[in-house]
Amino acid sequence: MTSFKQLFARLEQAVRPNRGNALFALFLTVLCQTIFSMVFLAPVVFLLMRGGMTFNERCFGYLLVFCALVVQILFKYGLRVLILRMVRGEFVTLGYVFYGFKTIRRTLPLAVAVSALIFAVAFGFFLVAQAVFSAWWDANLDAEAVFSAQEMLRQLRVPSLLLLAVCALVLVAIGIRFVFVFFLHVDHPGEKVPSLFRKSARLMRKKCFLLIGLALRAGGRNFVIAVAALCVMTGMTAAEGADDGHKMFPAFVGMIVNLVYLVNIYTALLKMYFAAPVLYVDAVQPVVDVIVTDGEQAADDEAPAAPAEDAAEDAGDR
């Protein structure tokens, strides 16, 4: 089995020559996700501003939110394909960010399935939280506020952040087993979506904490600084709200903290995105380090074949 040190060395080796292209791809993905999502969310904002939403309008709003999530996943798919090709040393261009749309006929079912999983967990957690804290919920949030994450944060501040944090942890706990789904879809384009999820869960068996550790190690100091800056911004927002709008901190302080957060979170994400494809490539095509006796640098040779039991399970899935 490949050691953690070897995996991290390969991650660093993949990041080094691709840092610039990966950074541009990450910015382009975030920009496109924001722009295209606004197309679907603009009617929702209009309904919220108008107030007095009917049941049909609420259903329509949730449908638009789900469509925006599908668009997010399609762009995320393209970014994952681009980084996987970088890890494998294949030719890449920024155009791969739109790969999910280029192959939308076979990519859309997967994007809908992943979006449904995320939406179901988030919406289910929302209903559970509303039921558990019903009295507190009714006292702080009206019907329109529950539709707006920004309004929820403004009115409930730190408690709402804690609820969102728990929801995010639940999503990670459930979704980490399916982190290879996009990569498997690239390598097996004709595979059925349920089979992709089963294969991903099998490949991730006993590797969940390894992936988390690899991603956190890749984020390193930048991730720690970003989390600290986010906590400071949250504390500043809560303090401003508790003081009835009185400015306790100069505006430039908030700008500096926000800048520190943005620089470090993007730097951390840039390397953390390489963790899953590095682990995937090692899982489907194990690599061993061969020590060269004449003192030259060690080289990586591919294993001749996958384990027989994995091949048998793959045949069973088909």
Side-chain angles (χ1 to χ4, degrees), residues 23 26-27 30-31 34 222 226 260-273:
L23 183 60
L26 180 58
F27 276 123
V30 173
L31 179 62
T34 303
N222 295 109
V260 170
Y261 167 75
L262 289 175
V263 170
N264 284 277
I265 193 63
Y266 274 103
T267 304
L269 287 176
L270 174 65
K271 297 178 66 175
M272 294 172 76
Y273 268 115

Side-chain angles (χ1 to χ4, degrees), residues 53-131:
M53 295 173 61
T54 65
F55 176 77
N56 290 336
E57 289 174 338
R58 291 179 186 280
C59 292
F60 179 65
Y62 283 120
L63 177 62
L64 289 177
V65 172
F66 181 79
C67 291
L69 183 58
V70 172
V71 171
Q72 297 264 341
I73 296 301
L74 286 172
F75 278 111
K76 190 76 69 178
Y77 179 90
L79 181 63
R80 296 282 180 149
V81 171
L82 183 144
I83 294 180
L84 177 63
R85 293 180 66 87
M86 287 180 174
V87 170
R88 287 175 167 171
E90 300 172 349
F91 173 78
V92 295
T93 65
L94 291 179
Y96 276 99
V97 170
F98 304 95
Y99 190 77
F101 294 90
K102 181 180 178 181
T103 58
I104 194 167
R105 294 184 63 179
R106 61 182 177 85
T107 308
L108 185 60
L110 177 61
V112 171
V114 174
S115 300
L117 177 63
I118 297 174
F119 191 85
V121 172
F123 191 72
F125 188 85
F126 168 80
L127 294 177
V128 171
Q130 186 180 17

Side-chain angles (χ1 to χ4, degrees), residues 248-306:
M248 298 180 62
F249 302 95
F252 75 89
V253 175
M255 293 176 59
I256 292 175
V257 175
N258 189 48
L259 180 62
V260 170
Y261 167 75
L262 289 175
V263 170
N264 284 277
I265 193 63
Y266 274 103
T267 304
L269 287 176
L270 174 65
K271 297 178 66 175
M272 294 172 76
Y273 268 115
F274 280 82
V278 166
L279 189 59
Y280 169 76
V281 169
D282 182 73
V284 299
Q285 200 171 18
V287 178
V288 295
D289 288 338
V290 179
I291 306 300
V292 181
T293 57
D294 59 0
E296 296 180 358
Q297 187 178 1
D300 291 337
D301 293 336
E302 298 179 358

